[in-house]
C-alpha cells in the first residue's frame, strides 16, 4: 500500500516545514568571506554553477526541527531551459562507484544529457526519478506516444545518519518543485536541498558551489561546479593544503556516520566534445583529492560534466550539425580552473553548512570558524 | 497529485486483469519444439536461466484485453535467496546505451550484485525501483539505520507502441509481487511480465530464455540467459543463420514501433571473477549479433552477467575470502555456449510471444510458424 | 647482439623474396566474384577501405618458398597524407584483448589518430613501431626538438603457425616501405602484407577489405573496412548465415594453430565524433560475430575506427575548430552498413588467401571454392 | 639503414658512460631525511617498491657529461621471478592519456601481467620493447613455437628537453640489462634509469619510490609505488600541502620543457582481484593530485597496479585456481596508504634528482633544500 506511506510522508514533511526555526541560528559564510580563496582564476559573478549562462539550480528542503527524523531534500540542476529539445554534450566519470547516478549508459553512449540532474538521498532516487518523469510528461505531452521516453539522471548520497532515509520523504512532487523553482543567480549552499542531511569530513556537509573564468585569450569561458558533499574522514580534511582536519579533532559526531559519497556536477560554456567533458570529470576528481578525501570503498564519488556551448537537437531532420569544438591543446586553463573550482566548491559546502541535529539526536557540527582561522594562520595561510 | 495517478492506474490494471482471455488463443511453442536448436551444447533441464541452481524468475503481467491501453509488466530475476547477504560477482556491458540498467556504477565498482534484477518498461523504472526499495526495507529492517542502503538494479525496454507507457502502470507493489513469486523451474516466455508489450524484429517479442551445459571435463557448469527482446527490424532477423526476416515480409505492424532495446541477463555457476563476467557479457553481444539485429541508435542493448559460484559476504569480519576462480585459458567452452544460448533465448522469445493488440489498436503479430518452417526448409535447415 | 639478428633476418628475407613463385599458383577470387554478396548497401568503386577518399594501403610481404620459415609481413593503413598535421578523429574498442594495438591510451584520450596504422605479427610490433618512428622523424625533423614525439599505432596477430615469428623478420625498414608504398585504389588481399602468415577458421586467412556507401539522403558517405583475419575455429564459420565451416570439415591443418585474433580498421568520410566512432567499432564487433567466430580467450579482437571528415590541426593557434558532426539519430544506416561491410571484409580475406606451406611444413589450406559453392547451394543461397 | 644508427648510438653512449663525473656533485637526500614524511602509515624497510617481497627494480642509465646530448635510460620493474609462468593480477588506469603504456588491452582483458614493466623515453619504446622480446625469447625458448608470444608492457615519459630523444639511445640490450640487473633492496632514485632526463614541476624529476605497511589487523600488507616523474608546472607543486612551488619561483629552466607525464607503478602483496587493482590505480591518481599537478593535456599520466598475492599459472591443466581475495569492505586502509605513498614517491623523485645539464645546454635544476626547508617552516610544517 504505497499510498499510505505517501500520506504519512507528506504529513511528516508538512510538520517539518511548519516548525519554527532554531532560536539562535548561526550565521554562515562562504570560504572567500573568510579571506580564503583557492587558486588564481577569477570567479564568476556569483561564484556559483549558475555563472554559466542558462544554468539554473533549485532546492526543495525537508528539514524538521532539531532532533526530528526528517532532514533531507532534493536539488535540481537545470542545464538550460527545454534541455530535452536542446540537449547538452555530457559525460560521466566514476572515481568510486558506491553510489548511483542514473542514465549512465545513455549519457556515455549518446554523449549528451537531455534532462535536469537531480540530487537526493539514496532511497529517494526512485520517487525523485518518478517526479522527473511526471515533470517531463507534463512538459512533453507526446512523450511515450510519438516522442521518445525519458531516462532521468538522478544521483544520490546517503544521509541516513541525520535523516530517516527509510521513510523516503523526498517525493516526486518535491523533485518537480525543485525543477520548477530552479533559477539563475546565487545558489543556496550547505544544509539545503539534497545537502540537508549530508556529513562531510565528520562536519556538516551538503551543497557547495563555485565558479571560475578563464582569460579572454583562453576563450573567456566560465566553469561552474556544484557538489553535494557527504564524504571524508576528519583527519583527511585539507583546505588549500592546510591540514585543517588534523587541527580540529573536536566536534566529532558521537557515532560514525555512514561512509561518504560526493556528487560532482560541472557546467561550462566552453565548447567541449563529449570525450573532452570526460577529461573534465577526471579533473574534478583531482580537485576532490586536494580536499584530502580518499574515496573510501563506501563512497560514491561520481562526476558529470556538461557543456552548454552546443545545442544538440532532438530528432533533427538535418543529417549533421555544426559544432564548434575547443582544440585539445587549449584545454589546460580549463583543467586548471576545474581543479581549483572543485576544491572551493567543497570548501563552500563545509563553510556554509549549519550544525544539524537529526534523527535520534544524531548531531553533526558545522565547521567552526575560529578553529578554522587558527589552523590557517598556524600554517601561514592568509585568513580574515 | 501522484496519488490520483496511482488510483487510476490500479483501477485500469484491475480492469485489465479482470478481462476475459481472448477467445481463440494461439498455442505457442519454443524453438526446439519446432525442431530447431542453436549450436551443439546440451541445454539444462528447463532450457532456462533457472537451470542455474538457485536462480529464480518471477513475472507480474498487466495485459488488458486486445485494444486496451495496458500491456506491460515486470520481470524479476533473483540471483539467489538473500542475495543482499550472499552477493554474487557481476558485471555489466553496454553494446548500445539508449536504455537504462541502474546500479551500473556500483556493480562495476564492487564487482558484485546484491539485489534482484528487475525488468520493466522505461517510464516504470522509478516505481519498480521504489518497489525494490520497499521489498528490501521489509526484508532488511536495519537498512538505512545500522545497515547500508540499497541501489536497485532495474532495466528497461520501451513498450510504448503497445502500452500506455505514460500511465506508468507498473507499480512498486507489482515489482514486489514479481520478486515474491519468483521461482525455480520453467520460465514463462513471450508476452509475459516485462515482455508483455515488447516488439522484436517487428514481430511480437518479450521474454525468452535458454541454457547450456558444458562438459564434465570443462567443469560441468551451467549457463542460463534470460532476455527481454524489443529490438530489431524485420529484414535483419536470422534464426540459426537463415534470413527468416527477409523470407517473411508480411505481418508487419501498421506503423513503426519505437526503436529497439534488449536487456540480456546471464547467470552461471561457473566460478568467474568480475572481469571475466564482463567477458561473458561481450559474448552475449556476439550472440545477439547472430540474430541479425544491428543495435540501432535508439536501442538500449545492455547486458549483465553474474556468477553464483562465490558467496560474497555482506560486511564480513574477515579480511579475505577464499574464491575459486576459473582459469582464463579454460573459458572458451563458456564463451561458445554463451553465444549459442543467447541466440536461442532471443528465438524463444519470438517463438513464444503471442499476437498482441495494444493501445490504440496497435497490433504486433506473432512470428508465424508455417512461414518460419518454410523459410528454414528453403535454406536447408532441419525443422519439424 | 641485435645487429647479428638483423643481418640474418635481412639475408633470410632477401632469400625469401628472391625465391621463385610456386609453379601452379591457384587463382583466387573475391566473395562477389563467386556471386555472393553480404547485405544490401552498394560498395564503393573498389569495394575496399581505399574507397574512402584519401585512405591508402600499403603492404610489405615476406613470403618465402613453401616450407621455408618466413611467412609474414607488414600492412600500413594511411588515414590521409600528413596525418600528423591533419589528424583524424578516432576511437578503439576491445572485443577481446588477447592482442595489442598500441597507442590505445592516447587515441581514447585525445579522440584522434595522428599516425598511420601498422599491422604485423606479434613479436614484430617493436621493430615495426621503430620503423614508424624513423619514418616520422624523417618527415617531421622537428619531432623531439620543438615538436612533440610520436606514439605509433601498431596492431598484431600471431602468425607463428606458419611463420618463424621468433625471428622477428619484419624490420623497421619494412614498415617504412609499407607506408611509402601505400596507395589508393584496389587493395591486395589474402596472404599479403601482415596477412601473409595468418590462419582464420583453420583456413588460410589474412587481409580482407570491403566498403559500403549509404544513400544520398543518408549523406552519401562511404565506409571502408580492412581486417587482418587470424581468428575462428572451423565449425563456427558462417558466410551470409550459411554454416560453411560445418559443411567443409576437410582441409584442416595437421596441428592446431595458435588462437585467433583479428584487427579491424574502419575508415569513413562520415563526420563522426570520437564517441560516435567508438559506436562504429562495436558494430564492427557485431559484423565479426556474424562470421561465426566466438572471440576465444586467446584471440585479440581489436577494432579502430577513424573519420576523415574533420581535419584536426596539430598545435593550432586557434582556440576552437569548426566540426560538422552527424546527428546520432541518423547513424543507423552507417551502423547497418558497417556490420555487413565487416562480414564481407572477413569473407574476402578467406576467399582471396592462398594455400600456404609455412615453417616446418605447417600447411593452411585456402577456402576451396567448389565446396563453398556446394555449401551455399545446399542452404539455398545464390552463388556463381 | 637502422644499423648505422645503432652504431652511432652505441658510440655516443659509450662516450657518455666513459665521461668523468661532475666535479662537485651535490649530495641528495630522500624526503624523510629532510624530516618530512607524508601521512601516517609506516613505510617498509627500504621505503621502496621493493619492500613488496619478490619485486625487483633495475636501471640502465645513459647519462653523458653535462651539456652532451644523451640523458636517458631504462628502468625495469620485475613483479617476480618467472612472471611469465607465475603471473600477477593487474590493472591499468589512464588519468590522462597523452602517453603510452603498452599491453593495455591485454592486461585489462586478462586481469593479469606476465612480463616485467619497462620505463623509458617515448621514442625508445620500440627498441626497449624489442629488448623485452629478446629477453623473453632467451628465457622461454618455446615462445612462438609451442608457447604463446609475448606482448611487452613498456611505458614512457618524454625526456626530449634534456635528451636527444630522436637518437633513440635506449637499445634493446639496455632493456635486457635493466631486467637482468633488477634486484631487491634499496632503489636508486632521481636522475637514474628512465628518470635520467625527466623534468617535474620544472625541477629535475625522475624515479621516486615509497612504501607503506598496513597494520596486522588490516592484514599486514605492504604497498610499494615507483614513479617516473615528468609532470607538473612550478606553481602547482605542493609537498604535504605546502605550496612549495609558489615559494620557490627561482631556478626555472630557461625554456619550457615539453609537457608532463608520469608513470605510476604499484605493487602489493595484498590479495586484490583485478577490478580491485583498478581501484588502487585511481587512488594513485588521487595521491598524484595532492602533489598539485593538474594532468595537462600534454601529460601521459598512466597507472598500473599488480598484486603478488596470487600466482596465476600459465596454461594450467586445472580448470580453476584457488584465490584469496580481500573483501571490498576492508580496502580502506590500502586506499589511504596508497594515496600517501604515492605522494611521497613523487617527493622522493624531486628530492633525489640532481641538477642536470642536457642537450644543447638545457638545464633543469634540482629542488633546492634550503628553499624547501624555508617554505615548509613558513607554513608551519616540521622539517629538519
Amino acid at each position: 500500500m504505497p499510498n499510505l506511506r505517501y500520506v504519512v510522508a507528506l504529513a511528516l514533511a508538512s510538520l517539518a516545514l511548519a516548525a519554527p526555526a532554531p532560536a539562535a541560528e548561526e550565521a554562515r559564510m562562504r570560504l572567500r568571506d573568510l579571506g580564503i580563496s583557492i587558486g588564481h582564476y577569477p570567479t564568476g559573478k556569483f561564484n556559483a554553477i549558475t555563472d554559466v549562462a542558462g544554468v539554473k539550480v533549485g532546492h526543495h528542503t525537508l528539514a524538521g526541527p532539531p532532533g526530528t527524523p526528517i532532514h533531507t531534500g532534493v536539488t535540481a540542476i537545470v542545464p538550460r531551459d527545454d534541455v530535452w529539445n536542446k540537449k547538452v554534450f555530457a559525460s560521466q566519470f566514476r572515481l568510486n562507484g558506491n553510489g548511483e547516478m542514473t542514465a549512465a549508459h545513455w549519457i556515455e553512449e549518446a554523449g549528451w544529457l537531455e534532462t535536469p540532474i537531480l540530487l537526493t538521498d539514496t532511497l529517494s532516487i526512485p520517487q525523485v526519478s518518478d517526479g522527473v518523469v511526471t515533470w517531463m510528461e507534463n512538459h512533453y505531452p507526446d512523450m511515450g506516444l510519438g516522442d521518445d521516453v525519458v531516462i532521468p539522471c538522478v544521483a544520490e548520497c546517503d544521509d541516513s545518519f541525520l535523516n530517516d532515509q527509510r521513510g523516503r520523504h523526498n517525493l516526486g512532487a518535491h523533485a518537480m518543485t525543485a525543477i520548477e523553482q530552479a533559477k539563475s543567480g546565487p545558489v543556496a549552499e550547505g544544509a539545503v536541498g539534497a545537502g540537508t542531511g549530508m556529513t562531510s569530513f565528520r562536519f556538516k556537509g551538503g551543497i557547495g558551489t563555485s565558479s571560475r573564468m578563464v582569460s579572454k585569450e583562453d576563450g573567456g569561458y566560465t566553469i561552474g561546479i556544484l557538489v553535494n558533499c557527504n564524504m571524508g574522514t576528519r583527519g583527511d580534511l585539507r583546505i588549500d593544503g592546510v591540514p585543517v582536519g588534523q587541527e580540529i579533532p573536536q566536534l566529532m559526531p558521537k557515532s560514525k556516520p555512514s561512509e561518504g559519497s560526493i556528487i560532482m556536477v560541472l557546467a561550462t560554456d566552453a565548447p567541449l566534445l563529449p570525450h573532452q567533458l570526460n577529461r573534465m570529470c577526471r579533473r574534478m576528481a583531482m580537485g576532490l583529492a586536494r580536499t584530502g578525501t580518499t574515496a573510501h570503498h563506501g563512497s560514491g564519488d561520481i562526476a558529470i560534466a556538461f557543456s552548454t556551448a552546443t545545442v544538440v537537437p532532438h530528432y533533427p531532420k538535418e543529417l549533421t550539425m555544426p559544432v564548434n569544438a575547443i582544440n585539445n591543446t587549449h584545454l589546460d586553463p580549463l583543467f586548471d580552473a576545474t581543479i581549483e573550482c572543485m576544491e572551493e566548491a567543497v570548501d563552500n559546502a563545509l563553510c556554509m553548512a549549519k550544525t544539524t541535529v537529526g534523527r535520534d539526536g544524531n548531531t553533526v557540527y558545522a565547521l567552526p570558524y575560529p578553529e578554522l582561522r587558527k589552523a590557517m594562520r598556524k600554517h601561514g595561510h592568509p585568513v580574515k
Side-chain angles (χ1 to χ4, degrees), chain A:
Chain A
M1 287 301 293
N3 286 350
L4 184 59
R5 181 159 58 77
Y6 275 90
V7 171
V8 173
L10 281 167
L12 280 170
S14 306
L15 197 70
L17 292 169
E25 184 133 322
E26 50 185 337
R28 300 294 290 168
M29 287 182 278
R30 305 185 80 190
L31 187 73
R32 286 180 185 244
D33 296 328
L34 290 158
I36 308 168
S37 60
I38 306 294
H40 64 280
Y41 285 91
T43 71
K45 183 174 179 189
F46 302 107
N47 191 16
I49 194 172
T50 46
D51 287 322
V52 178
V55 176
K56 298 178 177 176
V57 175
H59 297 298
H60 183 273
T61 305
L62 285 174
T68 56
I70 302 183
H71 292 269
T72 189
V74 179
T75 294
I77 300 102
V78 178
R80 68 173 144 225
D81 291 344
D82 194 15
V83 69
W84 180 252
N85 285 311
K86 300 175 183 174
K87 305 175 201 299
V88 288
F89 279 145
S91 186
Q92 288 193 356
F93 173 71
R94 163 187 120 231
L95 176 63
N96 194 59
N98 198 333
E100 175 65 305
M101 182 181 287
T102 62
H105 290 297
W106 180 215
I107 290 167
E108 287 311 294
E109 186 73 44
W112 71 46
L113 174 71
E114 57 189 9
T115 64
I117 300 165
L118 278 287
L119 313 182
T120 190
D121 71 50
T122 315
L123 299 181
S124 293
I125 284 188
Q127 291 177 178
V128 166
S129 297
D130 199 50
V132 175
V133 172
T134 303
W135 190 89
M136 295 293 288
E137 286 191 357
N138 291 350
H139 284 71
Y140 304 97
D142 203 32
M143 175 169 292
L145 297 168
D147 195 3
D148 213 350
V149 286
V150 70
I151 297 171
C153 180
V154 184
E156 57 74 49
C157 300
D158 174 4
D159 58 13
S160 58
F161 185 70
L162 290 174
N163 177 45
D164 167 35
Q165 196 181 140
R166 289 178 63 89
R168 283 168 276 168
H169 300 295
N170 298 293
L171 306 182
H174 302 158
M176 294 169 71
T177 301
I179 299 172
E180 287 294 340
Q181 294 187 347
K183 59 182 198 297
S184 303
V187 173
E189 291 171 298
V192 64
T196 303
M198 300 300 162
T199 303
S200 191
F201 297 105
R202 309 273 151 94
F203 286 124
K204 186 68 190 75
I207 300 294
T209 189
S210 187
S211 70
R212 291 293 184 279
M213 296 173 70
V214 300
S215 71
K216 280 267 167 69
E217 295 72 40
D218 291 329
Y221 304 122
T222 300
I223 289 166
I225 292 178
L226 182 144
V227 295
N228 193 18
C229 296
N230 199 39
M231 77 294 164
T233 53
R234 178 63 59 83
D236 291 334
L237 174 61
R238 286 176 183 267
I239 292 183
D240 205 16
V242 174
V244 168
Q246 290 167 27
E247 299 287 354
I248 317 179
Q250 62 270 40
L251 293 176
M252 289 288 279
K254 282 192 184 144
S255 60
K256 190 185 164 189
S258 65
E259 284 286 4
S261 291
I262 178 170
I263 300 298
M264 307 172 259
V265 180
L266 181 144
T268 185
D269 57 4
L272 294 159
L273 297 179
H275 73 291
Q276 293 173 318
L277 287 161
N278 191 274
R279 305 180 77 177
M280 295 289 269
C281 287
R282 281 174 267 149
R283 270 69 192 182
M284 281 195 271
M286 296 183 80
L288 177 64
R290 287 192 181 180
T291 70
T293 189
T294 59
H296 274 183
H297 165 68
S299 199
D301 302 355
I302 305 177
I304 185 169
F306 63 84
S307 163
T308 61
T310 298
V311 173
V312 184
H314 185 65
Y315 288 96
K317 286 183 191 165
E318 294 75 21
L319 271 174
T320 64
M321 63 173 171
V323 174
N324 192 33
I326 196 164
N327 288 308
N328 274 337
T329 42
H330 290 79
L331 282 171
D332 288 348
L334 294 170
F335 288 168
D336 293 349
T338 295
I339 291 174
E340 60 178 73
C341 184
M342 177 68 208
E343 185 177 354
E344 190 164 323
V346 169
D347 295 342
N348 276 336
L350 292 167
C351 287
M352 288 297 290
K354 297 173 186 178
T355 297
T356 300
V357 185
R359 70 157 171 97
D360 303 321
N362 284 346
T363 303
V364 183
Y365 295 96
L367 174 68
Y369 298 150
E371 289 80 357
L372 172 60
R373 289 187 176 102
K374 191 175 158 194
M376 299 307 283
R377 286 191 188 108
K378 177 175 169 187
H379 290 272
H381 196 290
V383 65
K384 267 198 282 201

